[in-house]
Amino acid sequence: MSAKRINGILKPLLLVFFLAFACMCVPVEASSQRFVAVSCCGFTSLALDENGNVWLWGEVYEQKGSPAYNQCPDQYVEVVGDIYRRVQTTPVKLPLNDVIAISGSNMALKKDGTVWTWGPNDRGQCGDGTNVSTSTPVKVKGLDHVIAISSGASCLALKDDGTVWTWGRNDRGQCGDGTLIDRWEPVQVKGLSNVTAIYGGAFAIKDDGTVWTWGASILDVDENGKPIDYYTRGQHKPNCKPTPFKVEWAKNVRSIDFSLDGSTFVKDDGTVWAWGNDMWGRLGNGRMVSPLTTPDIRYLATPVQVKGLNNVKTVATNMLYSMALKEDGTVWAWGHNYGGQFGTGERNTTEALPIRIPGLDGIIAIACGDHRAVFLKSDGSVWFSGLIDPYNDTAVTTPTRILGPSSIVPTGTATIQPASNQNATIQPISTCNNSSTPINLPLNAILLGTFAIILIGGAAYLLILRKR
């Protein structure tokens, strides 16, 4: 082989070598895609990327004996009956595509108007006509032309004709169909039409601006639908309504969210209002009550204004705390900070008035779960604070980027704080099948492999030419 020919071969190989080496020196991640939505419920969080993929971290539920359970039964713990759970501490991609909206811990809306669910299904929460729990998304039976979904008190779907459909647990009238029978398939919420928005799995806003609710969202109303304030440890028994009624005092509502201990909403003027249980400062009105020292905890069904908040865009609430997203992209929180979700570096603190979550700006969406919270930035990155694994009691107590563009650097080092078990450590549980890969895996390993293949292939090519 002539020297000229060898030189012609080596030049391209050297160019590829230097390009591959330069790529390896740059700290890139596979998480370069942007995210467009986040949601959270219980100990599970979701994020939707710009390509229509859903990512999950937190609790994963399976039926005992299912293929997924059988792949790694030692990772699962019994919940009730044949339902088992494990904790997925790093985000994994669900086998679902073309998704345009997510809600709670187990709902996705595809662009074809169908709804898909997963998770525990002992009371028909998946809406597929069975009671088989699964971590694999299943299609909700007989539901199409859906334009919005909402999870909370129940699973809600809003159709393009303005009707609302629901399914799942119904012992408090959560389905709004006039019965107290669990529904394994979607049923229409009675008497609702011309609905334009749904919230918290418990609220519907009509085109005339009125707010309607049913089930356990108020906990108690009189025969005329008027809310009744009472003491939760008193003699009064909640009387939930299994059919919708108008929430007379909720006017000019921009957004609203539900929890079992009360609800929070934003008015068009940017002020925030709340009703429900007033323990641990969860109403945000300056009153701090501990159930450990106070014999009677009030349940206020008449809303009170959350103090010190204005220009609020939206709210998210949970049983013991709430958060508000302001128009300037800052996030404010009040109530019980057990999991460190307030991002202050501390756990198990309480706030009777809203405080700003440090290190967060440019936020466009928020979601609250059980002692955990998720935040979406305008650059498409997803941030997280609070409980990672509730069963090992480990938490991230400062806002930390978990998904999204790799150009984002966390504002502070994540602080892992076990509350009771001081020896607890975060142990990411790998998925049972290798098709679901954590999103934050760096590309350096991929580039290194490519580089090795190029070198080996080039060397082999040169040897072949020499032999000729």
Side-chain angles (χ1 to χ4, degrees):
M1 182 190 300
S2 67
K4 185 176 181 181
R5 187 175 179 186
I6 293 175
N7 186 46
I9 294 170
L10 285 177
K11 278 185 178 179
L13 285 176
L14 286 173
L15 178 60
V16 172
F17 169 87
F18 284 116
L19 286 175
F21 182 79
C23 289
M24 285 168 45
C25 294
V26 178
V28 248
E29 291 182 342
S31 57
S32 58
Q33 71 260 51
R34 293 169 56 88
F35 285 76
V36 296
V38 292
S39 67
C40 195
C41 186
F43 294 117
T44 304
S45 304
L46 303 178
L48 175 64
D49 70 30
E50 60 187 349
N51 299 315
N53 301 308
V54 180
W55 297 78
L56 174 151
W57 65 102
E59 287 185 320
V60 177
Y61 291 88
E62 274 295 346
Q63 198 82 8
K64 183 179 182 181
S66 68
Y69 172 88
N70 289 337
Q71 286 181 11
C72 51
D74 57 316
Q75 292 185 12
Y76 286 88
V77 177
E78 183 179 1
V79 179
V80 59
D82 287 335
I83 301 177
Y84 283 68
R85 60 141 180 88
R86 64 181 180 89
V87 178
Q88 177 69 42
T89 58
T90 54
V92 291
K93 186 167 66 174
L94 296 178
L96 199 60
N97 52 29
D98 296 328
V99 174
I100 59 173
I102 53 177
S103 184
S105 61
N106 69 332
M107 290 186 73
L109 171 63
K110 297 184 75 169
K111 64 183 179 182
D112 63 2
T114 59
V115 180
W116 295 69
T117 59
W118 56 91
N121 196 26
D122 56 316
R123 306 192 72 162
Q125 299 97 309
C126 289
D128 63 342
T130 76
N131 64 344
V132 178
S133 302
T134 177
S135 61
T136 303
V138 295
K139 184 178 178 182
V140 176
K141 194 172 181 180
L143 204 57
D144 52 20
H145 297 285
V146 174
I147 59 174
I149 55 175
S150 177
S151 177
S154 62
C155 294
L156 296 184
L158 173 62
K159 285 192 173 187
D160 57 10
D161 61 1
T163 60
V164 180
W165 296 72
T166 184
W167 59 94
R169 183 172 178 173
N170 197 27
D171 59 330
R172 287 188 171 183
Q174 296 96 315
C175 289
D177 65 341
T179 76
L180 301 177
I181 303 170
D182 291 354
R183 297 298 187 179
W184 292 8
E185 298 178 14
V187 294
Q188 185 174 349
V189 177
K190 279 192 172 182
L192 279 184
S193 59
N194 302 318
V195 173
T196 58
I198 50 177
Y199 294 97
F203 297 100
I205 298 181
K206 289 190 174 186
D207 56 5
D208 61 2
T210 57
V211 179
W212 295 71
T213 191
W214 57 94
S217 62
I218 305 295
L219 277 186
D220 205 6
V221 292
D222 62 19
E223 63 276 7
N224 298 315
K226 183 179 179 181
I228 301 172
D229 294 342
Y230 69 99
Y231 288 90
T232 55
R233 296 186 185 180
Q235 302 299 316
H236 207 81
K237 183 180 179 181
N239 181 28
C240 303
K241 292 288 186 180
T243 54
F245 60 92
K246 186 163 64 172
V247 185
E248 295 289 353
W249 68 93
K251 300 181 184 297
N252 305 313
V253 172
R254 178 182 298 175
S255 72
I256 189 168
D257 199 13
F258 165 86
S259 84
L260 290 174
D261 277 339
S263 299
T264 309
F265 65 95
V266 185
K267 286 189 175 184
D268 288 337
D269 62 5
T271 59
V272 179
W273 298 72
W275 74 80
N277 199 315
D278 70 349
M279 66 179 177
W280 302 125
R282 68 167 308 280
L283 295 181
N285 63 345
R287 175 180 163 88
M288 177 61 67
V289 181
S290 168
L292 303 177
T293 58
T294 305
D296 290 314
I297 304 299
R298 294 185 303 174
Y299 186 97
L300 300 179
T302 303
V304 296
Q305 185 172 356
V306 177
K307 291 184 177 181
L309 283 182
N310 50 44
N311 299 319
V312 172
K313 179 181 179 181
T314 189
V315 288
T317 194
N318 194 263
M319 288 191 294
L320 297 179
Y321 74 99
S322 295
M323 291 186 177
L325 171 61
K326 298 185 76 170
E327 295 285 357
D328 62 4
T330 60
V331 183
W332 298 68
W334 61 97
H336 200 302
N337 182 38
Y338 174 79
Q341 68 272 22
F342 289 6
T344 59
E346 299 179 298
R347 291 190 58 180
N348 207 25
T349 59
T350 54
E351 302 292 342
L353 295 171
I355 63 168
R356 180 177 173 180
I357 296 182
L360 280 182
D361 52 29
I363 302 300
I364 60 174
I366 57 176
C368 292
D370 289 351
H371 314 301
R372 56 162 51 197
V374 190
F375 315 95
L376 176 65
K377 280 198 172 187
S378 56
D379 61 16
S381 61
V382 177
W383 294 63
F384 175 87
S385 60
L387 281 182
I388 296 176
D389 184 345
Y391 308 103
N392 284 326
D393 210 17
T394 50
V396 176
T397 58
T398 56
T400 304
R401 183 181 64 84
I402 191 169
L403 293 167
S406 57
S407 59
I408 302 302
V409 179
T411 56
T413 303
T415 305
I416 310 302
Q417 289 194 356
S420 55
N421 178 6
Q422 297 303 317
N423 297 316
T425 56
I426 293 182
Q427 297 291 339
I429 299 174
S430 60
T431 52
C432 292
N433 62 64
N434 294 323
S435 62
S436 296
T437 306
I439 195 171
N440 279 329
L441 286 180
L443 280 178
N444 299 52
I446 299 172
L447 293 172
L448 183 61
T450 305
F451 173 63
I453 291 172
I454 291 171
L455 285 184
I456 294 171
Y461 183 68
L462 287 175
L463 287 174
I464 292 172
L465 288 178
R466 278 189 175 184
K467 286 182 178 180
R468 290 180 178 176

